[in-house]
């Protein structure tokens, strides 16, 4: 889904912001993913909620982020934060800022303590060669540890490289294409994708990717991990 296909929403808690609801339960997703454009001097917040965890990622611009009652933190492109339930997330944009904000219900597991908030910048997370080649790098912004029930990863592919198989798995993805282009296999169709495209992949959606063009292709994606499967 290209960004220009999303009409802009307005949210009471983000006055002045242009919000695109990339994915939601209305689509079939078990999460909500927003793209939020804050104009200069605007602020917005998602209030604390008993059940909801929140991941935020700055796509462009600079500003301030405050989580819960903590001191504010300066954020720049690539800054991310992951906060547990019962934590508010507030942003202030002295200059225009574009954010991706992801929310879902935290899935507790017996014997696993609730995690503490984490934050950082993607530039501080090293890229691990993937599928036996350093032409594909995977950055795991949230550590792969049982405390966390989700992953938010960034893949970067040199053109001419891609996922070596067609994956089919129970986990969902919410994927935002950040840079470059390529072709994405969804089901039995190969589709052209480029910067600013969004893809929701439901459970067991057959998927693969091949990077094309002149520049590295890069995308950030969510994946539900590390929890028993419910629904029985
Ligand atoms: O982690 C993943 O499932 C990843 N390899 N999937 C994807 O990039 N579509
Ligand atoms: Mn996958």
């Amino acid at each position: 889904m290209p960004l220009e296909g999303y009409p802009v929403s307005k949210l009471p808690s983000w006055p002045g912001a242009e919000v695109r609801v990339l994915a939601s339960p209305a689509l079939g997703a078990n999460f909500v993913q927003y793209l939020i454009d804050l104009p200069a001097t605007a602020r917005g917040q998602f209030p604390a909620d008993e059940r909801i965890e929140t991941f935020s990622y700055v796509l462009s611009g600079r500003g301030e982020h405050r989580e819960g009652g903590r001191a504010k933190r300066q954020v720049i492109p690539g800054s991310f934060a992951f906060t547990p339930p019962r934590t508010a997330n507030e942003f202030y944009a002295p200059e225009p800022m574009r954010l991706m904000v992801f929310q879902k219900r935290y899935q507790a597991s017996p014997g696993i303590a609730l995690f503490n908030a984490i934050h950082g910048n993607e530039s501080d997370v090293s890229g691990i060669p993937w599928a036996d080649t350093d032409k594909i790098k995977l950055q795991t912004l949230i550590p792969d540890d049982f405390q966390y029930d989700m992953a938010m990863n960034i893949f970067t592919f040199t053109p001419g490289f891609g996922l070596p198989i067609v994956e089919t798995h129970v986990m969902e993805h919410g994927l935002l294409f950040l840079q470059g282009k390529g072709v994405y296999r969804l089901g039995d169709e190969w589709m052209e994708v480029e910067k600013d495209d969004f893809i929701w992949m439901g459970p067991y959606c057959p998927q693969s990717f091949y990077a094309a063009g002149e520049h590295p292709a890069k995308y950030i994606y969510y994946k539900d991990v590390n929890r028993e499967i419910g629904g029985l």
Side-chain angles (χ1 to χ4, degrees):
M1 292 183 276
L3 274 195
E4 66 261 26
Y6 286 95
V8 168
S9 301
K10 290 193 213 160
L11 300 184
S13 57
W14 294 80
E18 292 193 343
V19 180
R20 288 174 175 82
V21 185
L22 301 174
S24 70
L27 178 66
N30 283 306
F31 56 86
V32 180
Q33 194 161 353
Y34 301 96
L35 186 105
I36 302 177
D37 282 300
L38 281 165
T41 75
R43 60 177 72 244
Q45 63 142 339
F46 286 113
D49 183 287
E50 279 298 302
R51 306 163 309 149
I52 303 298
E53 60 189 349
T54 304
F55 182 92
S56 57
Y57 174 78
V58 178
L59 290 157
S60 61
R62 288 162 188 268
E64 293 167 4
H65 173 225
R66 185 197 296 269
E67 64 194 44
R70 300 218 189 149
K72 60 189 183 222
R73 199 171 56 90
Q74 301 299 317
V75 291
I76 60 174
S79 293
F80 65 87
F82 184 38
T83 61
R86 298 188 283 281
T87 311
N89 278 270
E90 186 183 341
F91 284 88
Y92 170 67
E95 62 179 73
M97 183 160 65
R98 174 171 272 191
L99 298 172
M100 183 193 85
V101 180
F102 174 100
Q103 294 195 305
K104 80 169 189 70
R105 187 187 294 209
Y106 170 70
Q107 191 179 341
S109 187
I112 305 289
L114 181 61
F115 67 94
N116 293 318
I118 56 174
H119 21 73
N121 190 286
E122 67 168 87
S123 58
D124 300 324
V125 180
S126 48
I128 307 297
W130 201 78
D132 298 327
T133 172
D134 64 1
K135 306 291 186 192
I136 307 175
K137 293 273 174 63
L138 183 70
Q139 292 165 279
T140 49
L141 305 186
I142 299 172
D144 185 14
D145 185 291
F146 280 137
Q147 329 174 45
Y148 309 107
D149 69 345
M150 60 175 269
M152 193 62 81
N153 301 335
I154 296 178
F155 252 139
T156 307
F157 300 81
T158 301
F161 290 80
L163 300 177
I165 55 164
V166 178
E167 302 176 0
T168 311
H169 49 65
V170 66
M171 307 82 150
E172 282 183 274
H173 292 317
L175 184 158
L176 184 63
F177 218 84
L178 299 173
Q179 179 190 295
K181 57 185 179 181
V183 280
Y184 227 99
R185 182 171 165 152
L186 299 166
D188 53 12
E189 197 179 350
W190 285 94
M191 302 180 75
E192 288 183 38
V193 285
E194 60 182 0
K195 179 176 172 352
D196 290 342
D197 285 344
F198 178 79
I199 305 173
W200 170 59
M201 285 171 254
Y204 299 106
C205 172
Q207 58 197 254
S208 197
F209 176 66
Y210 184 80
E214 290 177 42
H215 306 290
K218 181 175 169 189
Y219 59 77
I220 184 166
Y221 70 101
Y222 153 77
K223 182 174 185 176
D224 45 314
V225 294
N226 294 336
R227 288 297 182 268
E228 290 76 12
I229 307 301
L232 290 178

mmCIF file of all heavy atoms in Angstrom, residues 62-88:
data_model
loop_
_atom_site.group_PDB
_atom_site.id
_atom_site.type_symbol
_atom_site.label_atom_id
_atom_site.label_comp_id
_atom_site.label_asym_id
_atom_site.label_seq_id
_atom_site.Cartn_x
_atom_site.Cartn_y
_atom_site.Cartn_z
ATOM 1 N N ARG A 62 13.729 16.305 13.897
ATOM 2 C CA ARG A 62 14.277 16.197 15.251
ATOM 3 C C ARG A 62 13.246 16.711 16.233
ATOM 4 O O ARG A 62 12.408 17.535 15.864
ATOM 5 C CB ARG A 62 15.510 17.102 15.410
ATOM 6 C CG ARG A 62 16.701 16.604 14.679
ATOM 7 C CD ARG A 62 17.728 17.694 14.480
ATOM 8 N NE ARG A 62 18.758 17.183 13.602
ATOM 9 C CZ ARG A 62 19.868 16.588 14.031
ATOM 10 N NH1 ARG A 62 20.088 16.481 15.332
ATOM 11 N NH2 ARG A 62 20.740 16.096 13.190
ATOM 12 N N GLY A 63 13.330 16.257 17.453
ATOM 13 C CA GLY A 63 12.376 16.744 18.435
ATOM 14 C C GLY A 63 12.646 16.160 19.802
ATOM 15 O O GLY A 63 13.777 15.776 20.127
ATOM 16 N N GLU A 64 11.569 16.102 20.594
ATOM 17 C CA GLU A 64 11.688 15.598 21.970
ATOM 18 C C GLU A 64 10.680 14.481 22.193
ATOM 19 O O GLU A 64 9.566 14.536 21.673
ATOM 20 C CB GLU A 64 11.386 16.724 22.960
ATOM 21 C CG GLU A 64 12.420 17.813 22.928
ATOM 22 C CD GLU A 64 11.942 19.050 23.677
ATOM 23 O OE1 GLU A 64 10.845 19.026 24.274
ATOM 24 O OE2 GLU A 64 12.694 20.039 23.644
ATOM 25 N N HIS A 65 11.111 13.516 23.002
ATOM 26 C CA HIS A 65 10.230 12.398 23.375
ATOM 27 C C HIS A 65 10.250 12.291 24.894
ATOM 28 O O HIS A 65 11.314 12.376 25.509
ATOM 29 C CB HIS A 65 10.760 11.096 22.750
ATOM 30 C CG HIS A 65 10.029 9.861 23.199
ATOM 31 N ND1 HIS A 65 10.674 8.710 23.579
ATOM 32 C CD2 HIS A 65 8.705 9.606 23.341
ATOM 33 C CE1 HIS A 65 9.780 7.799 23.932
ATOM 34 N NE2 HIS A 65 8.583 8.318 23.790
ATOM 35 N N ARG A 66 9.056 12.130 25.466
ATOM 36 C CA ARG A 66 8.989 11.902 26.904
ATOM 37 C C ARG A 66 8.151 10.656 27.138
ATOM 38 O O ARG A 66 7.042 10.534 26.599
ATOM 39 C CB ARG A 66 8.326 13.090 27.596
ATOM 40 C CG ARG A 66 8.340 12.980 29.118
ATOM 41 C CD ARG A 66 7.326 13.932 29.712
ATOM 42 N NE ARG A 66 7.634 15.320 29.445
ATOM 43 C CZ ARG A 66 8.377 16.081 30.251
ATOM 44 N NH1 ARG A 66 8.880 15.581 31.347
ATOM 45 N NH2 ARG A 66 8.589 17.327 29.946
ATOM 46 N N GLU A 67 8.677 9.717 27.913
ATOM 47 C CA GLU A 67 7.915 8.498 28.204
ATOM 48 C C GLU A 67 7.573 8.492 29.682
ATOM 49 O O GLU A 67 8.425 8.812 30.524
ATOM 50 C CB GLU A 67 8.712 7.250 27.821
ATOM 51 C CG GLU A 67 9.958 7.090 28.617
ATOM 52 C CD GLU A 67 10.909 6.058 28.033
ATOM 53 O OE1 GLU A 67 11.122 6.053 26.817
ATOM 54 O OE2 GLU A 67 11.436 5.277 28.821
ATOM 55 N N GLY A 68 6.320 8.157 29.998
ATOM 56 C CA GLY A 68 5.885 8.174 31.379
ATOM 57 C C GLY A 68 6.188 9.545 31.978
ATOM 58 O O GLY A 68 6.068 10.561 31.329
ATOM 59 N N GLY A 69 6.615 9.558 33.221
ATOM 60 C CA GLY A 69 6.919 10.842 33.857
ATOM 61 C C GLY A 69 8.386 11.200 33.750
ATOM 62 O O GLY A 69 8.872 12.092 34.430
ATOM 63 N N ARG A 70 9.126 10.513 32.880
ATOM 64 C CA ARG A 70 10.584 10.716 32.829
ATOM 65 C C ARG A 70 10.979 12.021 32.154
ATOM 66 O O ARG A 70 10.172 12.659 31.499
ATOM 67 C CB ARG A 70 11.213 9.580 32.042
ATOM 68 C CG ARG A 70 10.932 8.250 32.665
ATOM 69 C CD ARG A 70 12.134 7.373 32.536
ATOM 70 N NE ARG A 70 11.793 6.030 32.947
ATOM 71 C CZ ARG A 70 12.339 4.963 32.444
ATOM 72 N NH1 ARG A 70 13.257 5.063 31.499
ATOM 73 N NH2 ARG A 70 12.002 3.765 32.867
ATOM 74 N N ALA A 71 12.269 12.334 32.260
ATOM 75 C CA ALA A 71 12.799 13.528 31.607
ATOM 76 C C ALA A 71 12.699 13.356 30.100
ATOM 77 O O ALA A 71 12.775 12.236 29.595
ATOM 78 C CB ALA A 71 14.257 13.721 32.018
ATOM 79 N N LYS A 72 12.565 14.483 29.396
ATOM 80 C CA LYS A 72 12.456 14.362 27.950
ATOM 81 C C LYS A 72 13.806 13.993 27.343
ATOM 82 O O LYS A 72 14.856 14.258 27.928
ATOM 83 C CB LYS A 72 11.886 15.627 27.335
ATOM 84 C CG LYS A 72 12.704 16.844 27.591
ATOM 85 C CD LYS A 72 11.947 18.060 27.124
ATOM 86 C CE LYS A 72 12.828 19.269 27.338
ATOM 87 N NZ LYS A 72 12.153 20.413 27.861
ATOM 88 N N ARG A 73 13.752 13.397 26.174
ATOM 89 C CA ARG A 73 14.927 12.893 25.483
ATOM 90 C C ARG A 73 14.930 13.495 24.085
ATOM 91 O O ARG A 73 13.880 13.568 23.449
ATOM 92 C CB ARG A 73 14.758 11.365 25.388
ATOM 93 C CG ARG A 73 15.948 10.536 25.119
ATOM 94 C CD ARG A 73 15.577 9.050 25.301
ATOM 95 N NE ARG A 73 14.462 8.636 24.481
ATOM 96 C CZ ARG A 73 14.569 8.141 23.248
ATOM 97 N NH1 ARG A 73 15.745 7.954 22.709
ATOM 98 N NH2 ARG A 73 13.502 7.804 22.569
ATOM 99 N N GLN A 74 16.097 13.945 23.624
ATOM 100 C CA GLN A 74 16.184 14.470 22.259
ATOM 101 C C GLN A 74 16.140 13.297 21.282
ATOM 102 O O GLN A 74 16.812 12.284 21.519
ATOM 103 C CB GLN A 74 17.501 15.237 22.062
ATOM 104 C CG GLN A 74 17.680 16.407 23.014
ATOM 105 C CD GLN A 74 16.597 17.466 22.859
ATOM 106 O OE1 GLN A 74 16.225 17.819 21.743
ATOM 107 N NE2 GLN A 74 16.071 17.958 23.982
ATOM 108 N N VAL A 75 15.375 13.441 20.222
ATOM 109 C CA VAL A 75 15.319 12.370 19.224
ATOM 110 C C VAL A 75 15.669 12.913 17.843
ATOM 111 O O VAL A 75 15.373 14.077 17.519
ATOM 112 C CB VAL A 75 13.951 11.659 19.211
ATOM 113 C CG1 VAL A 75 13.751 10.849 20.473
ATOM 114 C CG2 VAL A 75 12.791 12.638 19.018
ATOM 115 N N ILE A 76 16.303 12.066 17.057
ATOM 116 C CA ILE A 76 16.752 12.407 15.709
ATOM 117 C C ILE A 76 16.360 11.238 14.795
ATOM 118 O O ILE A 76 15.900 10.197 15.295
ATOM 119 C CB ILE A 76 18.283 12.637 15.686
ATOM 120 C CG1 ILE A 76 19.026 11.364 16.149
ATOM 121 C CG2 ILE A 76 18.679 13.832 16.544
ATOM 122 C CD1 ILE A 76 20.535 11.440 16.013
ATOM 123 N N PRO A 77 16.557 11.361 13.481
ATOM 124 C CA PRO A 77 16.201 10.219 12.627
ATOM 125 C C PRO A 77 16.899 8.931 13.083
ATOM 126 O O PRO A 77 18.086 8.940 13.419
ATOM 127 C CB PRO A 77 16.694 10.665 11.249
ATOM 128 C CG PRO A 77 16.536 12.154 11.287
ATOM 129 C CD PRO A 77 16.951 12.545 12.693
ATOM 130 N N GLY A 78 16.146 7.860 13.156
ATOM 131 C CA GLY A 78 16.682 6.573 13.617
ATOM 132 C C GLY A 78 16.466 6.328 15.106
ATOM 133 O O GLY A 78 16.642 5.206 15.584
ATOM 134 N N SER A 79 16.073 7.369 15.858
ATOM 135 C CA SER A 79 15.808 7.171 17.297
ATOM 136 C C SER A 79 14.587 6.274 17.457
ATOM 137 O O SER A 79 13.586 6.442 16.754
ATOM 138 C CB SER A 79 15.517 8.498 17.996
ATOM 139 O OG SER A 79 16.645 9.323 18.015
ATOM 140 N N PHE A 80 14.674 5.356 18.408
ATOM 141 C CA PHE A 80 13.521 4.495 18.675
ATOM 142 C C PHE A 80 13.332 4.341 20.167
ATOM 143 O O PHE A 80 14.258 4.571 20.959
ATOM 144 C CB PHE A 80 13.683 3.116 18.002
ATOM 145 C CG PHE A 80 14.830 2.292 18.535
ATOM 146 C CD1 PHE A 80 14.666 1.462 19.635
ATOM 147 C CD2 PHE A 80 16.081 2.347 17.927
ATOM 148 C CE1 PHE A 80 15.725 0.697 20.134
ATOM 149 C CE2 PHE A 80 17.150 1.594 18.413
ATOM 150 C CZ PHE A 80 16.965 0.769 19.519
ATOM 151 N N ALA A 81 12.107 3.968 20.559
ATOM 152 C CA ALA A 81 11.801 3.676 21.962
ATOM 153 C C ALA A 81 10.762 2.567 21.984
ATOM 154 O O ALA A 81 9.923 2.475 21.088
ATOM 155 C CB ALA A 81 11.254 4.921 22.654
ATOM 156 N N PHE A 82 10.859 1.726 22.994
ATOM 157 C CA PHE A 82 9.877 0.662 23.177
ATOM 158 C C PHE A 82 9.456 0.710 24.635
ATOM 159 O O PHE A 82 10.290 0.548 25.532
ATOM 160 C CB PHE A 82 10.516 -0.689 22.831
ATOM 161 C CG PHE A 82 9.569 -1.863 22.894
ATOM 162 C CD1 PHE A 82 8.252 -1.759 22.462
ATOM 163 C CD2 PHE A 82 10.013 -3.088 23.372
ATOM 164 C CE1 PHE A 82 7.390 -2.844 22.517
ATOM 165 C CE2 PHE A 82 9.160 -4.185 23.427
ATOM 166 C CZ PHE A 82 7.847 -4.051 22.996
ATOM 167 N N THR A 83 8.168 0.991 24.872
ATOM 168 C CA THR A 83 7.712 1.201 26.243
ATOM 169 C C THR A 83 6.640 0.181 26.616
ATOM 170 O O THR A 83 5.794 -0.185 25.789
ATOM 171 C CB THR A 83 7.152 2.631 26.432
ATOM 172 O OG1 THR A 83 6.030 2.824 25.566
ATOM 173 C CG2 THR A 83 8.208 3.675 26.117
ATOM 174 N N PRO A 84 6.668 -0.269 27.880
ATOM 175 C CA PRO A 84 5.697 -1.279 28.326
ATOM 176 C C PRO A 84 4.333 -0.651 28.587
ATOM 177 O O PRO A 84 4.193 0.583 28.558
ATOM 178 C CB PRO A 84 6.327 -1.793 29.627
ATOM 179 C CG PRO A 84 7.122 -0.657 30.141
ATOM 180 C CD PRO A 84 7.621 0.086 28.937
ATOM 181 N N PRO A 85 3.307 -1.490 28.848
ATOM 182 C CA PRO A 85 1.996 -0.953 29.220
ATOM 183 C C PRO A 85 2.129 0.019 30.401
ATOM 184 O O PRO A 85 3.097 -0.029 31.157
ATOM 185 C CB PRO A 85 1.204 -2.198 29.631
ATOM 186 C CG PRO A 85 1.844 -3.317 28.866
ATOM 187 C CD PRO A 85 3.304 -2.962 28.791
ATOM 188 N N ARG A 86 1.128 0.868 30.535
ATOM 189 C CA ARG A 86 1.050 1.862 31.607
ATOM 190 C C ARG A 86 2.091 2.963 31.447
ATOM 191 O O ARG A 86 2.500 3.569 32.417
ATOM 192 C CB ARG A 86 1.162 1.209 32.994
ATOM 193 C CG ARG A 86 0.023 0.234 33.291
ATOM 194 C CD ARG A 86 0.042 -0.247 34.709
ATOM 195 N NE ARG A 86 1.057 -1.255 34.920
ATOM 196 C CZ ARG A 86 0.925 -2.536 34.579
ATOM 197 N NH1 ARG A 86 -0.191 -2.963 34.014
ATOM 198 N NH2 ARG A 86 1.890 -3.390 34.821
ATOM 199 N N THR A 87 2.544 3.196 30.204
ATOM 200 C CA THR A 87 3.520 4.262 29.957
ATOM 201 C C THR A 87 2.992 5.167 28.847
ATOM 202 O O THR A 87 2.697 4.687 27.748
ATOM 203 C CB THR A 87 4.875 3.668 29.499
ATOM 204 O OG1 THR A 87 5.243 2.616 30.392
ATOM 205 C CG2 THR A 87 5.963 4.724 29.474
ATOM 206 N N ALA A 88 2.895 6.460 29.140
ATOM 207 C CA ALA A 88 2.489 7.420 28.107
ATOM 208 C C ALA A 88 3.682 7.738 27.210
ATOM 209 O O ALA A 88 4.843 7.644 27.641
ATOM 210 C CB ALA A 88 1.974 8.696 28.765
#
